[in-house]
Amino acid sequence: TSLSVFSQENDFQSWHTFSVKKKVIKKTDIIFKSGLRFRENSSILNKIFFDVRLKRKWTKKISLASGYRYVNNWNKEDFLSNNHRFYADLSYRSKLIKRLDYSIRNRWQNQGNLDTYKITLRQKFSLSYNIRKTKLTPQIATEYFLSLDSGFNKLRSTISLSHPINKKLDFSCAYRIEQEFYVNSPETLFIFEAKISYNL
């Protein structure tokens, strides 16, 4: 007789992000982003990151981007590690019908520290709808993570709502479920996210 035990961990987290976008030249923007993330029922600081990205609109529907992110991570033993992420995006956005947009973002990222880097492909599918006679835009999205080392290992599902505060300032909030696969003690995260974006 054999007995197998499957261990899974659940956690509620909160993510908070602020970003600033500035047009550099025609069809090209630079975006600065910083964020805080809290774990263990949103009570302990888990991550701080700083991100810079250059994005160019190639056609009306296709855009390209490349960026760098510096990350401070605290694990469950409160040990601090520093990670670097380099990434490139290819995005496609179009309309299904009036007010209903869909988008696909392909991201290739290389993340790690000075010793080890890990290459991951992330593909995100989104649907957004602008509610008639309002500035509210709800969105649903799903994103999978494919590691070149270990294969498919993570899935994110998100529902969000955005609303402009004024001509330059936007606010959005989201609820996200993130699931890990094919690892020991896989985590399922329930995440509340708040974002503020400023357009210079």
Side-chain angles (χ1 to χ4, degrees), residues 8-196:
Q8 184 170 354
E9 298 183 11
N10 298 331
D11 188 23
F12 172 75
Q13 297 191 358
S14 61
W15 296 1
H16 311 276
T17 308
F18 177 73
S19 65
V20 177
K21 181 171 72 173
K22 172 69 175 176
K23 181 176 287 187
V24 181
I25 56 175
K26 186 178 180 180
K27 296 184 179 181
T28 304
D29 298 323
I30 187 167
I31 300 106
F32 297 96
K33 183 188 294 185
S34 64
L36 297 172
R37 295 181 180 179
F38 295 86
R39 60 179 169 82
E40 296 189 23
N41 292 322
S42 194
S43 62
I44 298 174
L45 181 62
N46 181 49
K47 184 176 295 185
I48 299 174
F49 70 83
F50 302 94
D51 188 293
V52 59
R53 173 168 45 117
L54 196 65
K55 183 177 181 180
R56 180 169 177 80
K57 197 169 184 179
W58 190 21
T59 67
K60 289 183 178 180
K61 296 181 179 181
I62 298 174
S63 62
L64 304 170
S66 62
Y68 166 76
R69 176 174 293 191
Y70 177 77
V71 186
N72 288 329
N73 286 306
W74 285 268
N75 64 15
K76 293 183 178 180
E77 288 73 38
D78 208 26
F79 177 77
L80 173 64
S81 63
N82 302 316
N83 288 335
H84 305 272
R85 176 189 296 177
F86 303 90
Y87 61 92
D89 295 347
L90 173 63
S91 302
Y92 179 86
R93 187 180 186 89
S94 187
K95 285 187 178 295
L96 283 175
I97 56 175
K98 186 178 181 181
R99 297 182 177 274
L100 181 63
D101 294 350
Y102 74 95
S103 65
I104 303 170
R105 188 205 68 194
N106 300 286
R107 170 170 289 179
W108 293 266
Q109 73 177 39
N110 193 10
Q111 179 168 315
N113 51 36
L114 296 177
D115 299 324
T116 307
Y117 279 86
K118 180 179 178 181
I119 298 174
T120 304
L121 168 65
R122 298 168 55 175
Q123 192 167 49
K124 182 178 180 180
F125 303 89
S126 306
L127 282 173
S128 59
Y129 181 77
N130 178 241
I131 300 174
R132 188 181 179 188
K133 296 183 179 180
T134 75
K135 295 180 180 180
L136 290 170
T137 304
Q139 182 183 83
I140 57 172
T142 185
E143 180 179 15
Y144 72 84
F145 293 65
L146 181 65
S147 170
L148 294 188
D149 298 327
S150 56
F152 171 70
N153 58 21
K154 190 184 295 185
L155 182 69
R156 282 181 181 172
S157 302
T158 304
I159 181 169
S160 63
L161 187 66
S162 64
H163 189 280
I165 298 172
N166 54 44
K167 291 182 178 180
K168 294 189 174 183
L169 198 63
D170 287 335
F171 174 78
S172 67
C173 59
Y175 180 73
R176 175 175 294 128
I177 298 175
E178 179 178 295
Q179 298 168 287
E180 280 188 316
F181 300 94
Y182 309 118
V183 295
N184 294 325
S185 300
E187 279 191 324
T188 298
L189 305 180
F190 304 92
I191 302 158
F192 171 78
E193 182 176 35
K195 292 181 179 180
I196 295 177

